[in-house]
């Protein structure tokens, strides 16, 4: 791990002491600070304006009680969060995650990642994130609805189309966004479409928003391979996860000529040498909300794997499940089996140790803030449609998404070159995102 120069070390020390125990947040901050030395060297005005110090401190953090009644009439209490990290480039923007692991550290790390990711999209969106430790698994629709209504009964006072615009993340998809939107509309008596993204297309949602993160990831990988005079054609691809991001990454990888031979959920992973059957996977995971083993049971040549999904030989690996799922051991297996590209569909799924292993072996590593930005970019396109009361076609949205991903790719590549680290997508993404936010912070004064 490179040594931080003293002024960045001071910022990091401040972050760790002010956010004691928030390990994933420290990890996300350190990963960015490690890229910033050369930028501060070139731009002393950023140092004078305290840009980095301000960037690592959220503008506002809201923590609230979410009481609700389950189907047996029992009162349940969860905790809700919204961390409004940066409004420099636009309204706070980022998803809500409903998962038992959600705590303030998780939301802070995700909010911090979101600031630079959203800057990279080139669209006018600031960064934020929220969620709850509510576990939707095994809950009835009615329970999920009551939870969402209670959650919004507090959240509504903090959000708005010009203030803060939440969307989905793990455990939050169109169903939850619908319940949240309905409650916001009832409380405020406003059909304020732009207050949430990821809505259904019939009530203000953008076409392709559901597919966007996974599609965008596949487009980005195509661009990476093209930059290496290669393509997805005939490539073996491993995708961890089987949620919204993974499923649509698999779909687009297949359309672009690659074959996804493995995917997973929290209960294990499946290997299918014929290529994952998307229809079956969607039935099992989206319609039945079942376990991945049901997929293996229904396909002749598919079987549940043993060990780790990263031991499945592949050319391209796309971690699309959750943070820190790919460790140094997994990275070493990927290297050993000849993998050449790792691109993050999830937020920070690769541990710092794993990134070191990949780097040393010359594997191209693309961080989530670049590779998975297609989701939030399409959310920004949804906001544009809401503002103009338009509804674009799927083709139109997909072409715009493709352009955004290509522009992010170009920004990463040219910035990395400009800073003497060609091919370093992590450095390119951090610096390109950071300078966009930093320049706007300078313009707006110390706020
Ligand atoms: N949760 C997604 C992300 O991690 C999307 C957020 C959004 O669309 O606002 O970027």
């Amino acid at each position: 791990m490179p040594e931080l120069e003293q002024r960045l070390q001071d910022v990091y020390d401040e972050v760790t002491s002010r956010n004691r125990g928030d390990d994933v947040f420290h990890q996300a901050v350190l990963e960015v600070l490690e890229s910033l030395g050369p930028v501060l060297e070139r731009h002393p005005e950023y140092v004078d304006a305290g840009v980095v110090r301000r960037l690592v401190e959220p503008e506002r953090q809201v923590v609230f009680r979410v009481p609700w009644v389950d189907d047996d009439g029992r009162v349940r209490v969860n905790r809700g969060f919204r961390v409004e990290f940066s409004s420099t480039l636009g309204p706070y923007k980022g998803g809500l995650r409903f998962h038992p692991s959600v705590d303030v550290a998780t939301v802070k790390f995700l909010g911090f990642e979101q600031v630079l990711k959203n800057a990279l999209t080139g669209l006018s969106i600031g960064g934020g994130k929220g969620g709850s430790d509510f576990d939707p698994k095994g809950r009835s629709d009615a329970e999920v609805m009551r939870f969402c209504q209670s959650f919004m009964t507090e959240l509504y006072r903090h959000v708005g189309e010009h203030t803060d615009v939440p969307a989905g993340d793990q455990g939050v998809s169109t169903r939850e966004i619908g319940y949240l939107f309905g409650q916001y509309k009832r409380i405020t008596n406003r059909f304020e479409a732009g207050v949430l993204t990821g809505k259904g297309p019939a009530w203000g949602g953008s076409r392709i928003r559901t597919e966007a993160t996974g599609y965008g990831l596949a487009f980005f990988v195509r661009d990476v391979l093209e930059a290496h005079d290669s393509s997805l054609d005939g490539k073996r691809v491993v995708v961890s996860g089987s949620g919204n991001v993974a499923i649509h990454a698999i779909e687009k990888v297949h359309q672009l000529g690659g074959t996804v031979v493995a995917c997973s959920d929290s209960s294990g992973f499946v290997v299918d040498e014929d290529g994952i059957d998307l229809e079956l996977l969607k039935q099992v995971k989206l319609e039945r909300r079942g376990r991945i083993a049901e997929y293996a049971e229904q396909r002749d040549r598919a079987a549940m794997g043993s060990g780790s999904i990263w031991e499945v030989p592949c050319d391209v690996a796309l971690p699309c499940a959750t943070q820190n799922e790919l460790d140094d051991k997994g990275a070493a297996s990927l290297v050993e089996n000849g993998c050449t590209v790792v691109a993050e569909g999830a937020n920070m799924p690769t541990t710092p140790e794993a990134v070191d292993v990949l780097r040393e072996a010359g594997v191209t590593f693309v961080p989530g803030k670049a590779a998975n930005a297609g989701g939030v970019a399409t959310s920004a396109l949804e906001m544009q449609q809401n503002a103009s009361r338009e509804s674009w076609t799927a083709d139109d949205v997909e072409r715009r998404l493709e352009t955004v991903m290509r522009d992010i790719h170009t920004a990463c590549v040219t910035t990395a070159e400009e800073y003497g680290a060609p091919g370093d997508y992590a450095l390119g993404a951090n610096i390109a995102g950071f300078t966009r936010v930093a320049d706007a912070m300078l313009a707006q004064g110390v706020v």
Side-chain angles (χ1 to χ4, degrees), residues 93-95 114 117 129 167-169 209 347 375-376 379:
K93 183 81 197 88
Q114 204 81 46
K117 182 195 311 196
K129 201 88 185 190
D169 196 83
R209 174 61 192 88
N347 291 314
V376 75
S379 278

Side-chain angles (χ1 to χ4, degrees), residues 89-144:
L89 296 179
Y92 309 108
K93 183 81 197 88
L96 298 170
R97 176 177 292 190
F98 291 170
H99 190 274
S101 66
V102 169
D103 56 15
V104 76
T106 313
V107 179
K108 264 190 255 174
F109 120 66
L110 290 165
F112 181 72
E113 286 282 294
Q114 204 81 46
V115 176
L116 298 190
K117 182 195 311 196
N118 294 4
L120 279 172
T121 66
L123 303 161
S124 305
I125 38 179
K129 201 88 185 190
S132 174
D133 55 3
F134 171 72
D135 188 358
K137 222 178 251 164
R139 290 285 164 207
S140 68
D141 275 355
E143 289 178 314
V144 170

Side-chain angles (χ1 to χ4, degrees), residues 251 276-284 287 295:
E251 183 170 29
I276 296 292
D277 178 332
L278 206 64
E279 283 319 304
L280 179 59
L281 187 66
K282 280 185 182 169
Q283 266 171 33
V284 171
E287 285 163 36
Y295 175 97

Side-chain angles (χ1 to χ4, degrees), residues 35 51 57 64 66 83 112 147 163 179-180 224 245 247 260 291 293 328 332 367 371:
S35 302
V51 163
E57 179 66 16
F64 50 97
V66 190
V83 173
F112 181 72
F147 174 79
T163 313
Y179 295 145
L180 292 164
V224 170
V245 179
I247 282 177
V260 178
R291 299 205 144 192
D328 45 352

Side-chain angles (χ1 to χ4, degrees), residues 236-241 250 259-264 269-273 275-276 309 312:
R236 278 174 67 91
V237 181
V238 164
V239 174
S240 64
I250 295 171
T259 304
V260 178
V261 292
C263 65
S264 63
F269 68 98
V270 67
V271 181
D272 189 340
E273 289 294 337
I276 296 292
I309 190 169
V312 178

Side-chain angles (χ1 to χ4, degrees), residues 90-414:
Y92 309 108
K93 183 81 197 88
L96 298 170
R97 176 177 292 190
F98 291 170
H99 190 274
S101 66
V102 169
D103 56 15
V104 76
T106 313
V107 179
K108 264 190 255 174
F109 120 66
L110 290 165
F112 181 72
E113 286 282 294
Q114 204 81 46
V115 176
L116 298 190
K117 182 195 311 196
N118 294 4
L120 279 172
T121 66
L123 303 161
S124 305
I125 38 179
K129 201 88 185 190
S132 174
D133 55 3
F134 171 72
D135 188 358
K137 222 178 251 164
R139 290 285 164 207
S140 68
D141 275 355
E143 289 178 314
V144 170
M145 180 179 75
R146 287 194 295 274
F147 174 79
C148 288
Q149 290 174 338
S150 179
F151 187 86
M152 184 52 88
T153 299
E154 170 63 30
L155 189 70
Y156 90 95
R157 55 186 104 246
H158 310 290
V159 297
E161 64 176 319
H162 300 296
T163 313
D164 184 354
V165 182
D169 196 83
Q170 289 174 22
V172 178
S173 56
T174 315
R175 174 180 66 165
E176 291 74 18
I177 294 295
Y179 295 145
L180 292 164
F181 185 69
Q183 184 72 356
Y184 182 83
K185 185 162 62 68
R186 185 168 188 205
I187 295 173
T188 60
N189 192 29
R190 283 160 63 87
F191 194 104
E192 187 186 329
V195 69
L196 289 167
T197 59
K199 301 179 292 296
W203 39 282
S206 176
R207 298 200 167 75
I208 306 294
R209 174 61 192 88
T210 310
E211 295 84 352
T213 313
Y215 280 16
L217 174 65
F219 288 141
F220 201 101
V221 170
R222 179 194 56 189
D223 292 345
V224 170
L225 290 167
E226 265 174 22
H228 289 84
D229 296 319
S230 181
S231 77
L232 264 169
D233 214 22
K235 293 283 187 302
R236 278 174 67 91
V237 181
V238 164
V239 174
S240 64
S242 51
N244 182 46
V245 179
I247 282 177
H248 296 104
I250 295 171
E251 183 170 29
K252 192 50 77 180
V253 164
H254 283 174
Q255 285 172 17
L256 296 172
T259 304
V260 178
V261 292
C263 65
S264 63
D265 68 9
S266 55
S267 69
F269 68 98
V270 67
V271 181
D272 189 340
E273 289 294 337
D274 293 334
I276 296 292
D277 178 332
L278 206 64
E279 283 319 304
L280 179 59
L281 187 66
K282 280 185 182 169
Q283 266 171 33
V284 171
K285 295 305 301 182
L286 296 184
E287 285 163 36
R288 299 210 291 272
R289 294 176 193 260
R291 299 205 144 192
I292 198 93
E294 292 172 35
Y295 175 97
E297 281 157 20
Q298 288 178 49
R299 284 270 284 180
D300 286 349
R301 294 232 297 149
M304 290 301 285
S306 59
S308 146
I309 190 169
W310 310 119
E311 290 164 18
V312 178
C314 63
D315 303 300
V316 174
L318 306 177
C320 294
T322 196
Q323 63 266 22
N324 291 329
E325 54 164 317
L326 169 55
D327 62 9
D328 45 352
K329 201 162 154 263
S333 302
L334 288 172
V335 169
E336 202 174 306
N337 289 322
C339 173
T340 59
V341 176
V342 174
E344 297 184 326
N347 291 314
M348 212 171 72
T350 317
T351 67
E353 296 76 21
V355 175
D356 287 344
V357 170
L358 298 173
R359 268 217 182 102
E360 268 159 42
V363 174
T364 300
F365 167 73
V366 188
K369 60 174 78 74
N372 75 31
V376 75
T378 307
S379 278
L381 299 179
E382 183 167 326
M383 291 161 74
Q384 280 186 35
Q385 291 169 78
N386 294 151
S388 60
R389 298 185 182 276
E390 284 180 310
S391 178
W392 303 337
T393 63
D395 261 5
D396 189 0
V397 178
E398 194 171 332
R399 292 296 78 80
R400 289 175 197 246
L401 167 64
E402 225 176 331
T403 307
V404 171
M405 297 315 292
R406 180 146 293 162
D407 290 348
I408 297 175
H409 181 266
T410 306
C412 291
V413 169
T414 53

